Amino acid sequence: MRTKPWPALTLLISAPILMNLAFTGLGVAFDYPDVLQLPATEALAKFRAEQTTVVLLFALLAAAACAFAPLAVLVGRLAPMPWAVRAGVAAAIVQTIGLLRWPVLVPGLADRVATEGPDSPAIHTFETVNTVLGTLLGETAGYILTALWTVLVVAALRTPRWFALLGYVSAAAIATGVLVPLGVEPAELTNFLGYLLWSAWLLAFAALLARHGAMPSRVASQGS
């Protein structure tokens, strides 16, 4: 009997569950991500009103994102897929950095705005941080790298057709998130649905590993 890859199984199950719980909690407590469309002063006021809860939930969401780095490494042991490992680790890094701006940087900015008023330079800093660390790094780069990792993993493994299709569809839907900053409104919904499908794909991945213990490689190597 093949030994079950328990570390990979644990992360494949726990990471998407933690991610979705934290995201749902932020939607309830902070109206996230819609709150990002509000003027900075209003967004920061909402942040201060529920700061402890919001900081905790963003920290949990960042932890879930960070978990995809070791997950990418562990999945990379199932078959030769060095580029998938690199894409997965990079996706974890950029998303973790983007999310950590909320518990690390935003509390201080929110306090400054509350003290200095609507003319505080902290408002511009908040907007810049959201654009650079949020929109460009954590979201746009994160969407692309997450989708790329998923496609490379599916391409490297010999899996059931339904599993491969679920992976490709979820990756394509996640990638549409890069259109959100361009004002393509349907992309918000497709990106959201993509992450739901991707969570289901990760759990299905865990189920397949739990059943078979290993997966045959589809390709000899993705290069080095």
Side-chain angles (χ1 to χ4, degrees):
M1 179 180 295
R2 291 172 174 171
T3 302
K4 299 292 189 296
W6 292 114
L9 281 169
T10 300
L11 289 175
L12 282 168
I13 295 171
S14 61
I17 290 176
L18 180 59
M19 177 182 70
N20 283 283
L21 287 175
F23 188 86
T24 301
L26 285 167
V28 174
F30 190 43
D31 196 26
Y32 181 82
D34 292 341
V35 68
L36 299 178
Q37 306 305 317
L38 296 176
T41 51
E42 294 182 31
L44 289 170
K46 287 177 68 71
F47 175 85
R48 279 178 58 85
E50 299 290 344
Q51 181 167 326
T52 301
T53 300
V54 172
V55 164
L56 174 60
L57 289 172
F58 269 116
L60 291 176
L61 194 57
C66 187
F68 285 108
L71 175 60
V73 173
L74 292 169
V75 169
R77 296 176 181 176
L78 300 175
M81 55 174 88
W83 283 107
V85 174
R86 292 165 187 162
V89 171
I93 291 172
V94 298
Q95 291 179 93
T96 301
I97 292 174
L99 291 167
L100 282 178
R101 75 187 189 275
W102 290 98
V104 175
L105 299 177
V106 176
L109 296 174
D111 289 342
R112 285 181 57 190
V113 172
T115 301
E116 300 169 1
D119 295 325
S120 172
I123 292 178
H124 177 68
T125 303
F126 174 73
E127 294 171 339
T128 301
V129 165
N130 274 343
T131 298
V132 176
L133 297 184
T135 302
L136 296 179
L137 188 67
E139 295 172 10
T140 301
Y143 298 153
I144 293 172
L145 290 167
T146 299
L148 179 60
W149 176 76
T150 305
V151 168
L152 290 174
V153 168
V154 172
L157 298 175
R158 195 180 304 277
T159 59
R161 185 173 300 176
W162 64 264
F163 177 80
L165 181 61
L166 180 60
Y168 287 136
V169 170
S170 64
I174 288 172
T176 63
V178 302
L179 301 175
V180 173
L182 302 179
V184 181
E185 293 184 3
E188 295 183 15
L189 177 60
T190 56
N191 175 258
F192 173 72
L193 294 176
Y195 270 103
L196 290 181
L197 291 175
W198 190 64
S199 297
W201 178 78
L202 291 173
L203 294 175
F205 200 166
L208 289 174
L209 279 180
R211 179 178 180 181
H212 300 292
M215 290 184 178
S217 172
R218 184 187 297 275
V219 295
S221 175
Q222 290 180 5
S224 58

